[in-house]
Structures are given as structure tokens and as C-alpha cells.
Amino acid sequence: MADITEQPLFQPQDVESSATFRFLSKVNSTHSLSLQTYSDLYKWSTSHLDQFWGMVWDETDVIGTKGSHVVDNSAPPVANPAWFADAQVNWAENMLRCRSENKLALVEATEPTPEDPEPRLRRVTYAELYNLVADVASALLYHGVRPGDRIASYSSNCIARLFSYPSARMCENVAACLATSAIGGIWVSAAADFGSEGVNERFEQVQPKFIFAVDAVVYNHKIHQHLPKLSELLSGLGDKISPPTVVINSVLSHPPSREAWEKGWLSWEDFVRQGREHALGRSEDGEIEWHRTAFDAPLWILFSSGTTGRPKPIVHRAGGMLLQAKKEFAICGDLRPDDVFFYYTTTGWMMWNFLVSGLTIGCTLVLYDGSPLRDVSLLWKLVDDLGITIFGTSAKYLDQLSKYYRPREHHSLRTLRHIYSTGSPLAPPLFDYVYEHIHSGVLLGSITGGTDICSLFAGMCSALPVYRGEIQCRMLGMAVESFTPTGTPNPPGQSGELVCVRPFPCMPLGFWPLPGFRTEVEVNAARDRFLQSYFSEFKDVWYHGDHIAITSSKSGNGGGLIMLGRSDGVLNPGGIRFGSSELYEVLDECFTNPSGEYIVTDYLAVGQKIEGGADERVILFIKIPTGHTLSSEFERRLKAEIRARRSPRHVPAQIIQASDIPYTLNGKRVEVLVKKIINGAPLSSVNPATLSNPECLAFYRDIGEDLRRAYP
């Protein structure tokens, strides 16, 4: 388990004035309680779901009709109960409550290229964003889009044109998402770096009526043509779905070249012009006629990685996404209208949805397209240039950065208040790195949730300290526990399965298709798949598939969280269960310093079944710099450190040098997939379209054959 110290790395100032404690005081006065600590508030929030979520609605000033019903407080999670059954809300209306002509909604930045070595920042105010969304919503209505239709994007995070184009509008992807919600459509997004085959597997299932795309993207100091991938996608969809209307935003030339366009494609400018001319879906005073839906109406569909099968189309409810974002940002994170919020993400990762939801606070969002590491100073220069206060990234990015860059030596970073990290567990040494080499006074929020809930189970709280290697707290209203294999709660510090034992409003509606959209057979199959995914492990409670430990309560936090890896990747040699992160932490502590004698640049630990499946042994794959080989001395030193810092049971049975470690397109190690392959699963069971480097799997197949021959 992580080396957690009792001395906090960050201590909040003036806790009583924090948003969390202002909310606690309101709870006390409303319900005649005497809650004192975050732990008290957390316990109340998870035992009185109806009262808690009703107060979240009121205190965050949701636009819409609330009604009297909140939730059946006695329902188990497996019932997936209705929330706010009488409510009527629109997610986009709540994102665009600010209409200021002076307040920036979005700032767009793009990685430099040889064609555009100093790309200018593009800025759009809340008033401009609202007007653009109104035009796009009108255009969608003009083309016959109705509530429940799926609107898809195969695009980049933002579009910064490489050449001047006077009639250009900005923030296309954000505007299209907001416009889709405004009229009751369902948003679907795939990142431009996804291959056409992987996008085909997603769009085929949901059958979008529209696809928004770009003709090029910028990454790693280069311009990459996108239209060939789009054409491949449309060809692959072929007769599987009705042909969608395609809208292209051209980023390459002035005027835009359409030589490679297919018949019927619309330009973004023409599409927006249609909306402006017809002005459908607007009241007499020009206000968007917001299509307010039930709280449980679908907002967007996100997809699981799908490394060994078709990606699961996860349908998220509009009200749940809205209320969770308001709770996480306004009450727990204490984000404010004057914050400048950045998250490095693609449009295919749930963190894009997380970032865009920040509009409900009225703060300024920073969108970035390009590589985060080609010029390591670029993102930190943006912090200083734009006054970024909330900086979001991944643990993998911080890990890579820590090997060779010290931002505080080159940048002021004086505006930073929070740094958020997700995607994989944040190793304890990276906590040290952030506080020593980025900013000593920042709140480092390691956060965890996932595509499945498009929000957080555990994460940041501005009223709590930060401890090394530990997520600050379980989020309010999320009844997270650590379960033993037999389904009983673990004591503090013991590792187990992450479960949620009470319903929560960001629980998905299910997998697509929902009732009313396809045949009864298809709907029933989707429902069965949903129940199998989250409720087959433990009766009635949500099983998330993460291996965790909940720590003893410190500073009234009710217990922080330590992430130990994915549950199906848990290692179990000789019946001793532990997470792969326990090995990774040793590697991070001792073997990733570029100036050290022994260097490990990446790693992956899996279990090989032996004795006919009765036991398993741990295989550790490591990647070391090009030109180096795994020596017996290196292996001896590595095993000795693991034995000393963990236990003899943690020592891998075998350490193997690998040329590459497989990752999903969203930058996550695929331990489970490698485990299956080395235990005999054929490569044909792998969905290569979901991986960024599927070519490396042949190595693991061949190694697996050798391992099984040696240890059947």
C-alpha cells in the first residue's frame, strides 16, 4: 500500500469560509443538525439522499422546475431509481446562464506548427457563445433534428485556424454539444485521434443523424489530414445506418478547399448561416426555446474502452450530469466565476465533458489542441499567460514531466489554486514532485470516477488537507465502500473492491438502446449487459471494478482513498491479494530518476495462472531506455527493493524487458488485456481499434506461449 504520512502536504486556509462548510452550515440550519466536520456531512449526505440532493439543487441554483420528489431513499442501487421525477431541466440552459459580453467563456490554444509557429489565442465571450449555440440549434432544427436524435462529433478539442478566415466562428465542438442539448438531442463524441474502425464501432451502435468533423488536426508539431479518416468511417458505416448529415469545419486554407469533400457535406459557415437565417426554436425576444426534459432524460452517450469487445454505449442522464457537476465544482471544489479552468483532454475522454460542465459556474474554460509534451513549457506558459487557476491533467503526464522538467524554475504559476490528476493512480512520488517542483501551495486533487459515471466517486475538497499518495475524500452523496470478496465492508486500511452501496444521480440510465429507441430484444440485451457489468459481482450494490483502500479518518475527512489498480488486474500469488500499484510505487520511488544508475521508463504487472489455474505468479514487464538491457544485477536490485519496501510475496516471479507497454487511446495501461493474452487468449479477441499501440501485443503473445510452456 502507498506510503501515507500523517503530515499533510497542503493545508487549507480559513476552512470555515469554504464552500463545503458554508453548505454544512446551511444543512445544519435547515434540518436542525449539529454537523461539525466533513466526515459528519459525508455520513449525512449518504444516509439522507433525498434531503442532500434536494439541497444541492437549491444551493447551486439549478435553472428548471424541481418538483417535490427527489429519490426513494430506501431503494438499492440495482433498482436504478428515478430521480426528481417531477423535474424539468435543460443542461445547456444551465451552462449558458451567463450572457456577459465582457466575460470570456472559452479561450482556445493550439500547438505551434511550421505553418503557424505562433498561433494566436482565440477568445469567445459568453454572449458570443450563446449566440453561436442559438444559431447551431436553429440549424439542427432546420435539418429536422428532434429530441432523442443522436448528434455525433468526430473532431478535435478546439479549432484554431492555420490561416485567416474572416467569417470563421470558434468553439465549434462545444457549441455543437450545447446546441444538441438545447433542443433535446443526445450528444456522442469521438476524438479525432481515434481510428475510423474504432469510431465505426461506436457510431454504428447509436446511429447518429449528424456528424460534425474537421478536415485536419494539429498534434506533435504537425498537421494531420482528417478527411480520409472521415471518409473511411462513412464508408464503413455504409448501409449499417441511415446516412448522417456531415458538417465540416475547415482549418486548412482560405478560402477552404473542398476538393476532397464528398457530395452533400456542409461547411460549418454555411450550416451556421442556415440557422441564423431561419432562426427556428427561438422566442420573440430571441431567447432559445430550451427543450426542458425530465431529469432522467438522456444527455450524452460515452463509450467504454472496449479492448476485448465492442465498446459499451453508456447513456448518462441530463439532470444527473448537471447536479453532479454543480456539487463537484461549486460545493466540493469551490470553483468560482473568476476561475480560469483548464483540462488537458481529447473530445473522446470523459474529462472533456467534465471540463465543459464548468460553464455552469460561469468561469473561463481553456481548450488546447496538440501534444502536451512536444514543448513541455507550453502548457505552463499558458498558465502564466492566461492566469489559469485550475489545471487538470493525467497521472501519466505528471509522471512523464517529472523525469526531466521543473515548471516552477521557469514559470511564475502564481495564479494556480488547484491541480487535478486522473486517468490512473497518482503515485506518492508524484505528490512530492508537484509540491516541490510545480507549486508548494496548490491543492493537488487526485480524482477518480470514470466513463461509467462521467463524474467522481472520490476527489477534491477545498476544505480538506492533502496527504501524500491519498485522494482527499469520498465525494458527498457517493456512498463508497471497500468490500471483501464475500461482500462485507473492509476495516480502514484494508484493500478491497470499490462499491457504491446507495443510489446516485449520475448512475447511467443504462446501455444504448433505451426503451422506445429499438426493438424489445435489443433493449433487453442492453439491459442485461448493463446489469452484468455493474451488479453481478455483489447483490444490489454498484461494483465499479477498482481495487482500493479507504484510510482511517484524518482531519475529519472521513477517510481518504488509495487507488490500487483495476480489480480484474489484482495480483493474487499464493492467495495474497494486492494491487499492481503497490509494485509501481516502488518502481516510481527507486527506478525512474533519469540521473540514477537504474532507470525504468514504464512498467506493467500481471498474473500468470499456474497449477491449472489454482494459483498464479506475478510477471513484471519493464521498459528501459533504448540501448540498455535488463541485467542480472538490475533484476536483483529491483527484487530486493520490492521485498524490502513491500513483502516477499510482492516479489515478481519473473521480470521481463519489454519494448513497449500497451495503452488505450485514452492513455490507460491495459493490464487485464495483457493478463488474458499471456494466459492464452488469442489476439483475435483483442479490439485493436481501442489501443494506441496494438502492434506491441504480438510480443506478449509470444512471451505468453513461452511462459505457459515453462509453467503450465
Side-chain angles (χ1 to χ4, degrees):
M1 189 180 298
D3 178 20
I4 307 299
T5 60
E6 296 298 317
Q7 188 67 31
L9 298 173
F10 166 84
Q11 186 71 54
Q13 304 297 315
D14 196 12
V15 170
E16 297 299 322
S17 67
S18 67
T20 300
F21 272 77
R22 292 197 303 271
F23 181 76
L24 181 149
S25 296
K26 190 62 177 291
V27 169
N28 282 339
S29 62
T30 301
H31 297 286
S32 300
L33 300 173
S34 55
L35 309 178
Q36 298 295 316
T37 66
Y38 180 89
S39 180
D40 294 339
L41 180 61
Y42 173 76
K43 291 174 183 176
W44 177 83
S45 74
T46 55
S47 58
H48 299 79
L49 296 178
D50 49 355
Q51 295 177 10
F52 168 72
W53 288 106
M55 284 203 65
V56 171
W57 178 298
D58 295 338
E59 290 306 299
T60 59
D61 197 20
V62 172
I63 300 173
T65 304
K66 179 184 178 184
S68 58
H69 173 269
V70 176
V71 70
D72 178 357
N73 204 45
S74 65
V78 70
N80 204 353
W83 289 85
F84 295 89
D86 306 320
Q88 292 288 306
V89 294
N90 184 279
W91 179 81
E93 184 180 9
N94 279 272
M95 297 300 115
L96 292 174
R97 68 187 310 152
C98 178
R99 308 284 175 81
S100 171
E101 296 181 354
N102 300 314
K103 179 63 187 295
L104 289 178
L106 304 172
V107 179
E108 299 181 340
T110 302
E111 181 183 8
T113 65
E115 294 82 357
D116 191 7
E118 295 184 2
R120 66 184 180 91
L121 297 172
R122 294 178 174 270
R123 295 173 169 86
V124 62
T125 67
Y126 270 92
E128 290 170 333
L129 178 59
Y130 173 83
N131 290 333
L132 179 57
V133 170
D135 290 341
V136 176
S138 294
L140 289 171
L141 291 170
Y142 174 72
H143 283 272
V145 173
R146 293 182 289 185
D149 285 343
R150 278 74 63 210
I151 307 299
S153 167
Y154 186 22
S155 190
S156 51
N157 193 22
C158 62
I159 297 92
R161 296 171 182 275
L162 303 177
F163 298 90
S164 173
Y165 191 65
S167 62
R169 292 296 192 111
M170 301 176 287
C171 57
E172 287 86 344
N173 212 60
V174 173
C177 175
L178 291 165
T180 297
S181 167
I183 63 174
I186 303 173
W187 179 251
V188 185
S189 185
D193 60 339
F194 284 16
S196 60
E197 182 180 345
V199 181
N200 186 311
E201 292 175 333
R202 290 158 167 79
F203 288 4
E204 178 190 351
Q205 296 185 68
V206 300
Q207 301 183 353
K209 191 166 186 175
F210 262 80
I211 296 178
F212 290 93
V214 292
D215 60 3
V217 295
V218 175
Y219 192 81
N220 207 19
H221 204 53
K222 296 178 181 178
I223 302 168
H224 302 268
Q225 300 286 340
H226 190 59
L227 291 187
K229 292 168 67 175
L230 176 63
S231 294
E232 288 176 5
L233 168 64
L234 295 170
S235 176
L237 291 172
D239 57 2
K240 298 176 184 176
I241 70 172
S242 298
T245 300
V246 176
V247 178
I248 303 294
N249 188 78
S250 181
V251 302
L252 284 176
S253 62
H254 170 62
S257 171
R258 303 186 185 182
E259 295 178 359
W261 289 28
E262 296 182 11
K263 184 179 179 181
W265 289 2
L266 289 168
S267 73
W268 174 263
E269 289 76 21
D270 289 343
F271 181 73
V272 172
R273 192 175 299 115
Q274 289 175 345
R276 188 179 307 114
E277 290 172 353
H278 293 278
L280 299 176
R282 304 189 205 186
S283 61
E284 291 183 1
D285 61 359
E287 177 77 7
I288 296 172
E289 293 180 343
W290 306 101
H291 182 82
R292 291 186 178 178
T293 65
F295 188 94
D296 287 348
L299 173 65
W300 51 49
I301 299 172
L302 303 183
F303 291 87
S304 66
S305 297
T307 53
T308 56
R310 288 215 307 173
K312 298 189 291 286
I314 306 167
V315 187
H316 292 283
R317 64 189 88 202
M321 292 294 93
L322 173 62
L323 211 57
Q324 277 281 11
K326 282 183 169 290
K327 178 203 70 177
E328 291 169 355
F329 292 147
I331 297 175
C332 297
D334 204 359
L335 270 67
R336 309 155 191 166
D338 60 354
D339 274 316
V340 180
F341 184 15
F342 165 81
Y343 217 109
Y344 179 77
T345 179
T346 70
T347 58
W349 190 21
M350 65 145 281
M351 300 315 298
W352 184 86
N353 307 71
F354 183 84
L355 173 64
V356 173
S357 296
L359 290 170
T360 194
I361 302 297
C363 57
T364 299
L365 308 186
V366 178
L367 310 176
Y368 173 74
D369 235 12
S371 169
L373 291 170
R374 171 82 183 202
D375 176 0
V376 293
S377 69
L378 198 153
L379 296 186
W380 303 104
K381 185 176 185 297
L382 284 178
V383 172
D384 286 344
D385 291 348
L386 301 178
I388 290 173
T389 57
I390 314 293
F391 184 97
T393 186
S394 66
K396 183 181 178 184
Y397 168 78
L398 291 174
D399 179 54
Q400 292 295 314
L401 197 73
S402 70
K403 292 174 172 46
Y404 54 86
Y405 196 66
R406 307 290 183 258
R408 70 186 302 174
E409 296 177 3
H410 308 281
H411 309 278
S412 165
L413 309 181
R414 61 179 179 80
T415 60
L416 271 184
R417 292 201 300 121
H418 298 179
I419 293 178
Y420 298 156
S421 169
T422 192
S424 58
L426 188 66
L430 293 178
F431 281 73
D432 302 333
Y433 168 73
V434 168
Y435 283 103
E436 293 173 8
H437 300 296
I438 298 181
H439 197 303
S440 61
V442 76
L443 185 158
L444 175 56
S446 179
I447 59 180
T448 187
T451 301
D452 314 81
I453 65 170
C454 196
S455 50
L456 309 179
F457 279 125
M460 71 287 189
C461 179
S462 64
L464 294 173
V466 174
Y467 292 92
R468 185 176 189 266
E470 181 176 338
I471 296 176
Q472 282 180 286
C473 60
R474 291 170 285 179
M475 301 299 278
L476 296 175
M478 308 296 281
V480 172
E481 298 288 351
S482 165
F483 265 22
T484 68
T486 58
T488 58
N490 276 306
Q494 293 297 309
S495 63
E497 308 298 333
L498 190 159
V499 298
C500 201
V501 300
R502 302 296 308 280
F504 47 95
C506 61
M507 185 187 297
L509 289 167
F511 293 160
W512 189 263
L514 299 178
F517 286 93
R518 296 278 179 82
T519 67
E520 185 177 353
V521 172
E522 291 173 302
V523 169
N524 288 340
R527 184 181 63 246
D528 291 345
R529 191 183 183 196
F530 178 78
L531 292 173
Q532 179 66 28
S533 296
Y534 304 114
F535 296 101
S536 61
E537 189 73 17
F538 301 109
K539 183 180 179 181
D540 290 343
V541 306
W542 175 281
Y543 165 76
H544 198 60
D546 280 332
H547 200 56
I548 66 166
I550 299 174
T551 66
S552 298
S553 183
K554 298 188 291 291
S555 303
N557 70 351
L561 220 69
I562 301 172
M563 303 302 296
L564 299 173
R566 291 294 294 172
S567 298
D568 38 13
V570 166
L571 304 168
N572 192 24
I576 306 299
R577 290 166 56 87
F578 58 89
S580 57
S581 67
E582 298 189 44
L583 299 181
Y584 300 161
E585 287 163 11
V586 177
L587 294 170
D588 287 329
E589 291 271 10
C590 306
F591 297 97
T592 59
N593 185 350
S595 62
E597 182 181 358
Y598 304 102
I599 305 172
V600 176
T601 59
D602 209 348
Y603 38 72
L604 184 144
V606 297
Q608 179 200 355
K609 299 294 183 183
I610 58 175
E611 299 177 9
D615 200 358
E616 74 175 29
R617 65 191 200 120
V618 176
I619 309 298
L620 175 63
F621 295 96
I622 64 170
K623 181 180 178 181
I624 55 181
T626 304
H628 292 71
T629 57
L630 176 61
S631 65
S632 57
E633 170 59 19
F634 192 175
E635 185 173 353
R636 184 201 64 76
R637 168 78 183 280
L638 203 160
K639 288 184 175 180
E641 289 289 352
I642 292 173
R643 180 179 291 105
R645 292 171 179 265
R646 293 295 178 259
S647 77
R649 285 288 191 181
H650 286 75
V651 177
Q654 196 161 342
I655 300 174
I656 298 173
Q657 182 177 346
S659 59
D660 206 1
I661 303 296
Y663 280 86
T664 67
L665 291 169
N666 285 337
K668 297 183 179 180
R669 290 188 188 90
V670 285
E671 295 172 343
V672 177
L673 180 59
V674 171
K675 180 178 181 178
K676 290 180 178 179
I677 290 173
I678 71 164
N679 283 292
L683 290 188
S684 59
S685 67
V686 177
N687 185 348
T690 63
L691 301 179
S692 61
N693 52 345
E695 65 282 352
C696 74
L697 295 181
F699 165 81
Y700 294 95
R701 175 200 60 199
D702 297 341
I703 287 293
E705 292 174 355
D706 294 340
L707 292 172
R708 294 193 301 277
R709 280 194 295 267
Y711 295 90

